[in-house]
Amino acid sequence: MSSLFVTTPSRAQQILVDGALPATSPELEAPLDAPADVAATYCPLVRSTIGPDAWKQRVPDAVVKALLDPGPMLVVGDAPGDPDCFCSAVALSRGRRALELPADAHVDAPPPSQLSGLEIDADLLASREVRARRYDTVVFVDNDGTRVGPAAEAAMRDAKRVVVIDHHEVDPTHASLGLDPAKTDLVVWKETDADAAALLVLASLSRMVASSPASLLQHGWQSVLEPLVSAIYSDTRGFESTRTKPTTLGLLRGLLDTQAVDLTRILSGFGDGIPRDVLNAWPSKIEERTETIGAMDVAFFTVPSEALLDAWSTARERTPELTWSDLLFSALDHVEGRVRELDPDVALVAVGARDDRATATLTPEQLDQLPPKPLKFSVRTKDGDLAPLLASALGGGGKPHQGGGVSEEAPATLTDRARKYLVERQELARFASARNLGGL
Ligand SMILES: [Mn+2]
């Protein structure tokens, strides 16, 4: 092995295995049961106090036990899959093999071009090879087992155990996966607070190492850290998104300080991201209006479809691999910054998506990246109950403090409906309180 750690490899191991944390990040030391500021703030997403050590403690024992099973294991990512799912599957299977346990990784799709600097192709087993083998355990990472391809489906039906590790709002059951409860154990670990599934894989690996007689050694750590850092880079859009949790950035800072990861090489496939000038200029096209509706401050943001398409097209001239979602996320980052400054009770973002111009100018592959309808929207509310109610009134859905969906309407029509809903709701609330009926 020629490419071992450059300088202080043990520091990376220390951070991950011993839970020793970067001295510069005291917030990472926050205990698991520290009250997250869920109720206090809202429109900016919840700032998690969960650090690497706490993630490690959160790994369910059943997951650690299943992942240390000595029998053959297949680790599967979502198809077609993004970098997080590919890298998480590869890292977990590499970690297993480094612990001298058998493991194959499989995604029913070619790896995305962003991962070209990583050399993971040899780790990924083709469908035909998966079909030729039998597995005691099938692990789904970054997906709920519904989009995995026929070879993984067949492997899952024959397995003794299925494990799901995900950071999406998924709820897999024996029934949803088509498994026989008498034949197959199902172990699910879901953490929607994790910035990437890779963080859950990292925590799982740390726990596996702590409970295993074997050691990962330096090369083992490097081989798993590279894909995991790439995955986190991808899911946090370059570690830059304002939605990235401080704990995730702290963990990354700690790992990068160890110089265990050659960032330039492993991220070379991601290109240069959105060019700075585009990133600085185009959000000025996002329309913003604040209103007071009853007792609530409401901020309406509209991202015109043509502004997003123009910015995407300009950005693609220099970074061809950029997707429509990359540009959308940069809009949402801008909105999130404004929401922090304005501190509204309700924020509604309406994003123009699939329209005549998109259909006329984009290639079929590019068009496929857009939502299926003319409008995509999201809502954030200080009142936890309001977001899912408002989002479903607008034709979408949600969870406490946040919601969203797609719509056939023009942005102005959607905004009008939202305004009407908020007015009516407050009138009802006034009516109720005047008659002492309690909250609605
Ligand atoms: Mn992910």
Side-chain angles (χ1 to χ4, degrees):
M1 293 303 157
S2 56
S3 57
L4 291 181
F5 288 115
V6 185
T7 53
T8 53
S10 58
R11 185 72 184 123
Q13 281 161 279
Q14 214 188 336
I15 289 170
L16 296 167
V17 180
D18 307 333
L21 299 162
T24 49
S25 307
E27 75 270 26
L28 300 184
E29 304 280 7
L32 190 55
D33 57 358
D37 50 358
V38 183
T41 45
Y42 18 78
C43 293
L45 282 184
V46 174
R47 292 278 146 189
S48 168
T49 52
I50 300 173
D53 197 38
W55 278 127
K56 230 173 90 184
Q57 290 167 33
R58 282 182 86 117
V59 187
D61 289 340
V63 169
V64 181
K65 189 165 173 270
L67 294 181
L68 282 171
D69 187 272
M73 177 180 288
L74 180 69
V75 190
V76 185
D78 195 24
D82 65 0
D84 185 28
C85 97
F86 273 90
C87 289
S88 294
V90 166
L92 185 52
S93 65
R94 284 185 180 177
R96 282 261 306 180
R97 290 198 303 273
L99 292 172
E100 293 163 30
L101 298 165
D104 294 327
H106 169 69
V107 181
D108 190 28
S113 60
Q114 293 103 308
L115 301 181
S116 55
L118 265 183
E119 297 177 16
I120 58 166
D121 293 30
D123 289 86
L124 293 159
L125 218 58
S127 296
R128 133 184 66 79
E129 296 169 287
V130 171
R131 282 185 188 285
R133 300 184 187 189
R134 295 195 87 76
Y135 298 98
D136 286 350
T137 306
V138 175
V139 184
F140 296 124
V141 285
D142 205 27
N143 79 76
D144 64 354
T146 53
R147 300 196 308 165
V148 297
E153 284 234 9
M156 166 174 78
R157 309 239 179 281
D158 290 339
K160 293 182 199 157
R161 186 180 306 102
V162 171
V163 182
V164 177
I165 299 174
D166 202 347
H167 68 135
H168 296 103
E169 194 51 74
V170 298
D171 194 17
T173 60
H174 279 95
S176 76
L177 294 172
L179 297 174
D180 177 358
K183 207 180 117 200
T184 314
D185 286 335
L186 176 62
V187 182
V188 178
W189 184 31
K190 172 177 83 174
E191 296 279 3
T192 53
D193 209 19
D195 279 326
L199 284 170
L200 308 181
V201 168
L202 194 51
S204 301
L205 282 166
S206 301
R207 281 283 296 281
M208 288 161 70
V209 171
S211 318
S212 167
S215 157
L216 262 192
L217 302 178
Q218 292 177 15
H219 178 70
W221 274 118
Q222 189 179 29
S223 74
V224 301
L225 283 181
E226 288 185 347
L228 291 176
V229 169
S230 296
I232 299 168
Y233 181 89
S234 176
D235 266 20
T236 63
R237 298 184 293 291
F239 313 145
E240 270 195 65
S241 156
T242 45
R243 281 184 292 281
T244 306
K245 296 173 176 60
T247 48
T248 304
L249 294 176
L251 171 64
L252 277 164
R253 264 199 309 275
L255 292 175
L256 298 180
D257 281 350
T258 66
Q259 300 185 33
V261 175
D262 180 353
L263 214 51
T264 312
R265 177 174 52 80
I266 67 169
L267 300 183
S268 59
F270 283 88
D272 295 328
I274 301 173
R276 269 291 146 197
D277 51 338
V278 177
L279 201 56
N280 291 339
W282 96 269
S284 67
K285 305 267 170 46
I286 298 172
E287 294 153 18
E288 175 182 321
R289 203 174 61 227
T290 52
E291 290 175 30
T292 305
I293 299 178
M296 287 192 292
D297 293 326
V298 183
F300 293 106
F301 299 89
T302 305
V303 183
S305 64
E306 57 278 12
L308 204 157
L309 289 171
D310 283 344
W312 186 28
S313 143
T314 311
R316 275 203 320 272
E317 286 167 17
R318 273 169 286 168
T319 314
E321 58 269 57
L322 283 172
T323 63
W324 185 84
S325 297
D326 290 330
L327 273 294
L328 170 66
F329 286 136
S330 72
L332 296 179
D333 287 345
H334 167 83
V335 167
E336 184 153 318
R338 290 295 297 146
V339 163
R340 278 190 204 176
E341 286 168 37
L342 297 166
D343 193 32
D345 298 291
V346 176
L348 173 73
V349 193
V351 182
R354 195 175 285 249
D355 61 7
D356 291 345
R357 175 169 149 205
T359 318
T361 57
L362 299 176
T363 66
E365 293 75 31
Q366 289 166 341
L367 199 57
D368 266 354
Q369 299 179 18
L370 272 57
K373 293 194 176 175
L375 187 78
K376 184 177 171 69
F377 67 91
S378 74
V379 298
R380 298 288 168 83
T381 61
K382 284 186 186 176
D383 172 1
D385 296 338
L386 180 54
L389 290 171
L390 174 58
S392 49
L394 298 175
K399 52 187 183 180
H401 302 287
Q402 52 180 298
V406 289
S407 167
E408 299 283 356
E409 292 163 308
T413 316
L414 185 96
T415 311
D416 283 345
R417 283 209 295 132
R419 189 181 290 112
K420 194 156 166 276
Y421 178 87
L422 293 170
V423 169
E424 280 171 6
R425 186 178 150 90
Q426 295 206 72
E427 278 167 4
L428 271 174
R430 263 197 300 280
F431 174 87
S433 68
R435 282 158 186 76
N436 214 5
L437 297 176
L440 283 177

